[in-house]
Amino acid sequence: MRRGKMKLAAAVLFFLFLGASFITGFHPGLETGRNFRLFTLDMFKILPCAFILIGLFEVWVKKETVEKHLGEGSLIMGYVWAFLLAGTTVGGLYVAFPVAYSLYKKGAKLSVIFTYISAAAVFRVPMAVFEASFMGLKFTAIRLLVSLPLILFSSILLGRYLKKKNFRVEDGEMTLKKKKNQ
Amino acid sequence: MLLFYAGTAMLLVFSFFKDKKKSLLALSIAWKRFVRIAPDFVLVLVLMSLILAFLPNQVIAAILGTGSQWVSVIAAALIGSVTLMPGFVAFPLCGILLNQGVSYMVLSAFTTTLMMVGVLTFPVERAYFGTRATLLRNALSLGTALLVAAATGFFFGELG
């Protein structure tokens, strides 16, 4: 309850700040408003489709399928799938998190999930093309080729560690449920 | 982008064609998941627009462009971690910085942390995976970004 109220108060404060900046012409405030509108539009262009796809994935894809290809039994192919999926993810981390959460709930293993999240951060194909056009192909190629093995290595490390600690994504789910009850 | 909309629409139509009840369930799952995480998304958007307004590009350029390489790399990694910007803002900015003489190594640290390390996306990531996993993933990502930056410096002959 308290956290919900705090969030509401923060939101009110934020919009008051925007309103006051608009009236007084406070430059950083105006800039904030412009950014907020721009980023919100950008994000909400993608989110409806992303969540519909997640919903479809939840009802149509069988748990066994995910377990077989991305679960504990999957060896190298699980990571290959994670990279392919990451490359075609649109948006950014804000899409990758809910997708990863769905995958985990369907039985994908932790190291594959973390590989997917980090790879989706650096390796989305449209973004890489955009990057190369500004920074040159060499820069982008180096960045991708060096980061991919590191991502794989650190994800496996993190997956092993959390598994040893008996980590469950219920941890995360609980946070969500608590919020719902507020 | 259009392809993405078209693909989603096609899958949805196909799904309804095959099983109406399941498709409605899918939509309800989509809606519930979205509503549950939406406040955290808004929080991230608020933080992102504030920090970008109060940390204008000239300031970022000034911090990244001066001093020794390694100080700049660390500064770039820190700024990249605490800020968050969409690609359509970040890469044009990096292009400008490159023309101003900021090294590839520094820009690599900046872009990689920008993408992989999310101090601002922390509320969203934690809601899904819990605090511990989130902290560890971000710490490992920071390490990865620094190694990638060092490699970039090496391949562009900027070390030394």
Side-chain angles (χ1 to χ4, degrees):
Chain A
M1 195 67 206
R2 243 189 76 222
R3 254 177 84 174
K5 262 187 190 158
M6 255 166 66
K7 270 185 194 160
L8 193 68
V12 170
L13 211 66
F14 179 68
F15 285 107
L16 277 179
F17 167 69
L18 289 189
S21 304
F22 188 72
I23 294 164
T24 58
F26 179 54
H27 188 73
L30 292 176
E31 187 69 20
T32 307
R34 213 179 60 92
N35 285 341
F36 185 70
R37 205 176 56 230
L38 204 65
F39 299 157
T40 307
L41 282 176
D42 185 53
M43 198 187 253
F44 280 77
K45 256 192 298 199
I46 291 168
L47 286 178
C49 284
F51 274 88
I52 287 173
L53 289 175
I54 287 171
L56 290 173
F57 169 82
E58 289 282 340
V59 297
W60 285 112
V61 179
K62 288 201 194 82
K63 200 167 175 173
E64 296 80 53
T65 316
V66 177
E67 261 167 11
K68 191 173 141 217
H69 294 286
L70 304 170
E72 294 299 336
S74 73
L75 294 169
I76 305 166
M77 277 314 279
Y79 300 105
V80 174
W81 282 121
F83 280 126
L84 287 178
L85 199 58
T88 51
T89 295
V90 285
L93 280 181
Y94 57 90
V95 173
F97 292 138
V99 170
Y101 175 72
S102 279
L103 286 173
Y104 182 85
K105 273 187 68 185
K106 289 266 182 189
K109 63 179 167 186
L110 282 169
S111 50
V112 168
I113 290 301
F114 289 120
T115 304
Y116 166 71
I117 293 177
S118 297
V122 295
F123 183 57
R124 299 190 307 278
V125 173
M127 191 192 63
V129 172
F130 188 61
E131 177 186 337
S133 73
F134 279 97
M135 305 296 294
L137 198 58
K138 187 181 171 190
F139 178 82
T140 302
I142 293 169
R143 238 175 39 75
L144 292 184
L145 291 178
V146 177
S147 59
L148 292 190
L150 287 170
I151 286 172
L152 198 58
F153 176 72
S154 59
S155 301
I156 292 173
L157 211 69
L158 183 55
R160 287 230 176 116
Y161 169 79
L162 290 173
K163 213 176 125 192
K164 222 190 282 168
K165 294 269 171 185
N166 272 325
F167 171 84
R168 299 238 161 69
V169 158
E170 270 90 76
D171 292 9
E173 224 179 336
M174 250 159 56
T175 332
L176 288 177
K177 271 184 196 145
K178 254 189 264 157
K179 252 175 222 154
K180 206 184 161 192
N181 292 338
Q182 275 168 8
Chain B
M1 199 62 222
L2 213 64
L3 209 71
F4 179 53
Y5 281 115
T8 309
M10 245 165 62
L11 280 174
L12 196 60
V13 170
F14 184 68
S15 167
F16 265 96
F17 198 65
K18 268 194 95 173
D19 188 333
K20 203 178 156 200
K21 227 170 116 189
K22 259 187 167 176
S23 308
L24 287 175
L25 181 65
L27 286 181
S28 114
I29 290 174
W31 176 247
K32 268 192 214 142
R33 291 266 175 99
F34 175 69
V35 168
R36 239 189 256 177
I37 200 68
D40 288 309
F41 274 149
V42 174
L43 182 65
V44 171
L45 283 168
V46 167
L47 293 174
M48 183 157 99
S49 32
L50 277 172
I51 209 156
L52 279 190
F54 284 91
L55 192 75
N57 294 350
Q58 298 93 300
V59 177
I60 296 180
I63 296 172
L64 300 194
T66 53
S68 84
Q69 281 265 52
W70 293 103
V71 175
S72 296
V73 166
I74 301 292
L78 289 179
I79 298 177
S81 302
V82 297
T83 46
L84 187 75
M85 34 178 117
F88 68 84
V89 177
F91 292 119
L93 169 64
C94 285
I96 294 167
L97 292 174
L98 190 64
N99 286 333
Q100 289 179 355
V102 176
S103 69
Y104 282 102
M105 182 160 78
V106 171
L107 290 176
S108 170
F110 180 59
T111 52
T112 310
T113 49
L114 204 54
M115 293 182 240
M116 281 181 81
V117 186
V119 173
L120 292 191
T121 47
F122 190 82
V124 174
E125 189 170 357
R126 187 187 57 187
Y128 285 111
F129 296 104
T131 307
R132 186 166 56 178
T134 301
L135 280 177
L136 286 171
R137 192 197 69 80
N138 280 292
L140 284 170
S141 296
L142 183 60
T144 300
L146 290 175
L147 286 174
V148 170
T152 307
F154 174 75
F155 284 115
F156 276 97
E158 293 170 342
L159 295 179

